[in-house]
Amino acid sequence: MNFPGEIIVKEVGPRDGLQNETEMVPLEAKIEWINMLSETGTSYIEISSFVHPDWIPQLKDATEVAKQIKRNPDVTYAALVPNLKGLERALEVNVDEVCLFLSASESHNKNNINKTISETLPVLKNVSKEAKGAGKTVRGYVSTVFGCPYEGSIDTEKVITICDKLFTMGIDELSIGDTIGVADPLQVEQVTSKLLSYFPKEKIAMHFHDTRGTALANVLVAMNLGITKFDSAVGGLGGCPYAKGASGNLATDDLLYMLHRMGVNTGIDENKVINAAFYIEKYVKNLSSHQMKILNSQPL
Amino acid sequence: MNFPGEIIVKEVGPRDGLQNETEMVPLEAKIEWINMLSETGTSYIEISSFVHPDWIPQLKDATEVAKQIKRNPDVTYAALVPNLKGLERALEVNVDEVCLFLSASESHNKNNINKTISETLPVLKNVSKEAKGAGKTVRGYVSTVFGCPYEGSIDTEKVITICDKLFTMGIDELSIGDTIGVADPLQVEQVTSKLLSYFPKEKIAMHFHDTRGTALANVLVAMNLGITKFDSAVGGLGGCPYAKGASGNLATDDLLYMLHRMGVNTGIDENKVINAAFYIEKYVKNLSSHQMKILNSQPL
């Protein structure tokens, strides 16, 4: 194995985690929790989503969250934005980075936002342009790259075309998502190699879900190819969006366990992440990460 | 990556799984279940343990299990044996392979069987000799290789010395165990490389636990070094012996998911394994494998 000595872990728990939890976490708790995360040593937190409140009521307090959290100057505070209206709200509260999203699967995109991929691209182009004009960096999520709940397998050529279009419109970084957690390490090797033959590795992050237990194996393979940025959610928050009770987002604490034990530096304090996991677990029960299951277990 | 096209998955659920479950599974259910496992295409099942019934009451019916299961000629039926008395019982019911065990950690071995490692070795030597004399193959488990609940880290040189002694006494294969599920992929790469510099890869199997979510990443690294034999338990049966509620044995169904999706052949029918998992889940609740969590989830 040949892997980078430093990995950037991007915390998506407050957005991708909470949007898939049925419990509403009170605003004050979110603020306290994000403030805790800001002090873990992380350099990146996606704090909420500026989609229409009817779409994701759990995140309808995005404006208040962004306004009331204590900003650590070493942290990039990002938020999801679906369109110009959402961008306007995000800019009002001065988020550092704007995250756009698009599915690599036509039917998943249609199902998710009721638009085809070609109808979505011009919207993203406008939002990206406006965000860049306002001095923001822009991140794009490309979802269902490794498999779609409706279409099954996704052609990597199609993924490359979409990524190319997104980079061409000025997006700074793309997060390549295994939204339903089906990817296997060989597939990750193949898709990542292909991506890296077109785009520089600094512009690619991987977003794995642990639904079938393969997330850390997939991280390993991507690291071995030089990828240095991975998304994860504290405690495995969020679960799987398609199967209640199954695992979802790769847990930040599981990722840190593996990386730190391998001697890979992240700059993040595992214990502080665990404290943040225990804090949010008061509101969102039964976090699914391996670390939390151990810590919540009874010694025999 | 460069990995073998075929992997032998050794099913340890009926022994390593059930011995860590508090529920007593009725004899008839064990027989029915092992018969189901025998028809999955697997080539290996560890059916029980001939330790003293007071040690592991869950497996006190080892003799009846061995007598009453329907033997598939394509399957090797193995059982754990601690000493000559256990061997005598195992030979009476004609198991195909005898499995011995020893810890790489002095304090774990002492805690487990109340003997030092040097006190244990002559016992194993006798059992191995007698078993071979009776025409049986002999497997050895070396446990806590990647970390010990009492001592922490374990010196790989010590592991090599122990393995060398066990092979010298005629043991055919050693299963290298991460008993408490702490191993990370870099450590697995280092330990496996070292082992393979001394011993042929055909004689080494790996036995990972998924307590911290790293099991499949660890399998991947070992496969990449040429290891072709892995132990696992249906449904992740058994949990962690040191933390009730945490994950234990790598789940056969999770392992098969990854291997088959990578195009690696195992000869095992995943659906039949899942059926066997559902069968045993009637007796042992809440199997922890990712596959079973998905199958037991509610679609959203």
Side-chain angles (χ1 to χ4, degrees):
Chain A
M1 271 192 301
N2 181 25
F3 49 82
E6 301 221 3
I7 292 291
I8 296 168
V9 175
K10 303 206 164 187
E11 178 57 51
V12 298
R15 196 277 303 171
D16 200 16
L18 291 189
Q19 87 171 45
N20 289 310
E21 296 287 350
T22 41
E23 292 90 345
M24 268 299 289
V25 177
L27 173 64
E28 299 67 32
K30 285 181 187 171
I31 291 162
E32 173 76 12
W33 178 53
I34 294 171
N35 288 344
M36 289 176 81
L37 291 172
S38 291
E39 298 305 318
T40 57
T42 192
S43 59
Y44 194 95
I45 308 174
E46 194 181 31
I47 56 170
S48 194
S49 173
F50 290 93
V51 298
H52 193 285
D54 291 350
W55 286 11
I56 308 178
Q58 301 94 309
L59 302 181
K60 66 181 179 190
D61 52 9
T63 294
E64 286 309 311
V65 167
K67 267 188 185 165
Q68 294 187 42
I69 54 171
K70 199 189 292 172
R71 305 273 180 114
N72 177 337
D74 297 329
V75 177
T76 298
Y77 294 93
L80 205 69
V81 160
N83 50 32
L84 285 172
K85 175 71 195 156
L87 178 67
E88 198 180 305
R89 291 173 60 211
L91 294 178
E92 269 168 18
V93 291
N94 197 29
V95 300
D96 299 319
E97 180 162 280
V98 166
C99 302
L100 312 180
F101 56 99
L102 181 69
S103 183
S105 148
E106 196 64 77
S107 22
H108 185 260
N109 202 65
K110 189 84 185 174
N111 206 286
N112 201 21
I113 57 170
N114 202 26
K115 281 195 182 73
T116 64
I117 291 175
S118 12
E119 285 163 357
T120 312
L121 284 164
V123 178
L124 301 188
K125 190 172 176 180
N126 278 339
V127 178
S128 176
K129 195 181 155 198
E130 291 291 321
K132 302 286 281 190
K136 303 302 176 188
T137 52
V138 180
R139 180 177 220 230
Y141 285 104
V142 185
S143 58
T144 64
V145 167
F146 299 90
C148 163
Y150 313 110
E151 288 183 25
S153 68
I154 296 295
D155 183 2
T156 309
E157 291 299 336
K158 200 173 159 190
V159 175
I160 299 292
T161 307
I162 287 173
C163 291
D164 190 49
K165 286 183 178 163
L166 294 172
F167 279 132
T168 304
M169 63 178 71
I171 288 181
D172 299 285
E173 174 180 300
L174 290 178
S175 173
I176 306 299
D178 181 19
T179 313
I180 57 171
V182 289
D184 71 81
L186 180 61
Q187 184 189 19
V188 170
E189 184 175 65
Q190 290 165 343
V191 173
T192 308
S193 300
K194 188 113 192 179
L195 283 164
L196 294 180
S197 71
Y198 287 89
F199 314 113
K201 65 175 197 281
E202 293 70 25
K203 299 186 114 185
I204 302 286
M206 304 301 277
H207 180 109
F208 292 121
H209 279 211
D210 200 30
T211 316
R212 285 158 188 85
T214 55
L216 288 177
N218 293 339
V219 165
L220 194 72
V221 168
M223 279 171 66
N224 213 28
L225 292 169
I227 297 289
T228 57
K229 292 183 270 197
F230 295 93
D231 300 351
S232 61
V234 173
L237 200 68
C240 175
Y242 298 93
K244 190 170 172 59
S247 304
N249 278 292
L250 169 58
T252 307
D253 29 330
D254 288 344
L255 178 59
L256 293 179
Y257 175 83
M258 182 177 87
L259 294 177
H260 291 172
R261 199 172 148 111
M262 290 172 75
V264 176
N265 185 33
T266 65
I268 302 175
D269 183 326
E270 267 174 88
N271 292 328
K272 290 184 178 173
V273 169
I274 291 292
N275 287 343
F278 275 117
Y279 181 85
I280 199 67
E281 207 178 33
K282 288 186 284 185
Y283 300 94
V284 174
K285 302 288 177 252
N286 300 322
L287 291 180
S288 69
S289 76
H290 292 81
Q291 310 306 316
M292 288 302 284
K293 276 165 69 187
I294 295 170
L295 292 165
N296 283 325
S297 73
Q298 290 120 28
L300 293 178
Chain B
M1 273 191 299
N2 181 24
F3 50 83
E6 300 223 5
I7 291 291
I8 296 168
V9 175
K10 302 205 164 188
E11 178 57 51
V12 299
R15 197 277 301 171
D16 201 16
L18 290 189
Q19 88 171 47
N20 290 309
E21 295 287 351
T22 42
E23 290 90 345
M24 269 299 289
V25 177
L27 173 63
E28 298 67 32
K30 284 181 187 171
I31 291 162
E32 173 76 12
W33 178 53
I34 294 171
N35 288 345
M36 290 176 80
L37 292 172
S38 291
E39 299 303 319
T40 57
T42 191
S43 59
Y44 194 96
I45 308 175
E46 195 181 31
I47 56 170
S48 194
S49 172
F50 289 93
V51 299
H52 193 285
D54 291 352
W55 287 11
I56 308 177
Q58 301 95 308
L59 303 181
K60 67 180 179 192
D61 52 8
T63 294
E64 286 309 312
V65 167
K67 269 188 184 165
Q68 295 186 43
I69 53 171
K70 198 189 295 171
R71 304 273 181 115
N72 178 337
D74 297 330
V75 177
T76 297
Y77 295 92
L80 206 67
V81 158
N83 50 32
L84 284 172
K85 176 70 194 152
L87 178 66
E88 198 180 305
R89 292 172 59 210
L91 293 179
E92 269 168 18
V93 292
N94 197 28
V95 301
D96 300 318
E97 180 162 282
V98 165
C99 303
L100 312 180
F101 56 97
L102 181 69
S103 183
S105 148
E106 197 63 78
S107 22
H108 185 260
N109 203 65
K110 188 87 185 167
N111 206 286
N112 202 21
I113 56 171
N114 203 25
K115 283 195 180 73
T116 64
I117 291 174
S118 13
E119 285 162 358
T120 311
L121 285 166
V123 178
L124 301 189
K125 191 173 177 181
N126 279 338
V127 178
S128 175
K129 196 180 153 199
E130 292 291 321
K132 301 287 280 189
K136 303 302 178 188
T137 52
V138 180
R139 181 177 220 228
Y141 285 106
V142 186
S143 58
T144 64
V145 166
F146 300 91
C148 164
Y150 313 110
E151 287 182 24
S153 68
I154 297 294
D155 183 1
T156 309
E157 290 299 337
K158 202 174 159 190
V159 175
I160 299 291
T161 307
I162 288 174
C163 291
D164 190 47
K165 287 183 177 163
L166 294 172
F167 279 131
T168 304
M169 62 177 75
I171 289 181
D172 300 285
E173 174 179 301
L174 291 177
S175 172
I176 306 300
D178 181 19
T179 313
I180 55 170
V182 290
D184 71 82
L186 179 61
Q187 183 189 21
V188 170
E189 184 175 66
Q190 289 165 344
V191 173
T192 308
S193 300
K194 188 111 192 181
L195 283 163
L196 293 180
S197 72
Y198 287 89
F199 314 113
K201 65 176 197 281
E202 294 71 23
K203 300 187 113 183
I204 302 285
M206 304 301 277
H207 181 109
F208 292 122
H209 280 211
D210 200 30
T211 316
R212 285 159 188 84
T214 55
L216 289 177
N218 293 338
V219 165
L220 194 73
V221 168
M223 279 172 67
N224 213 28
L225 293 167
I227 298 288
T228 57
K229 292 183 271 198
F230 295 93
D231 300 351
S232 61
V234 173
L237 200 68
C240 176
Y242 298 93
K244 191 171 171 56
S247 305
N249 278 291
L250 169 58
T252 306
D253 30 328
D254 288 345
L255 178 59
L256 293 179
Y257 176 83
M258 182 176 86
L259 294 177
H260 291 172
R261 201 173 147 110
M262 289 171 75
V264 176
N265 185 33
T266 65
I268 302 175
D269 183 327
E270 268 175 87
N271 291 327
K272 291 184 177 171
V273 169
I274 291 292
N275 286 342
F278 275 118
Y279 181 85
I280 199 67
E281 206 178 33
K282 288 186 285 184
Y283 301 94
V284 174
K285 302 286 177 254
N286 300 323
L287 291 180
S288 70
S289 76
H290 292 81
Q291 310 306 315
M292 288 301 285
K293 278 165 68 187
I294 295 171
L295 291 165
N296 283 323
S297 72
Q298 289 121 27
L300 293 178

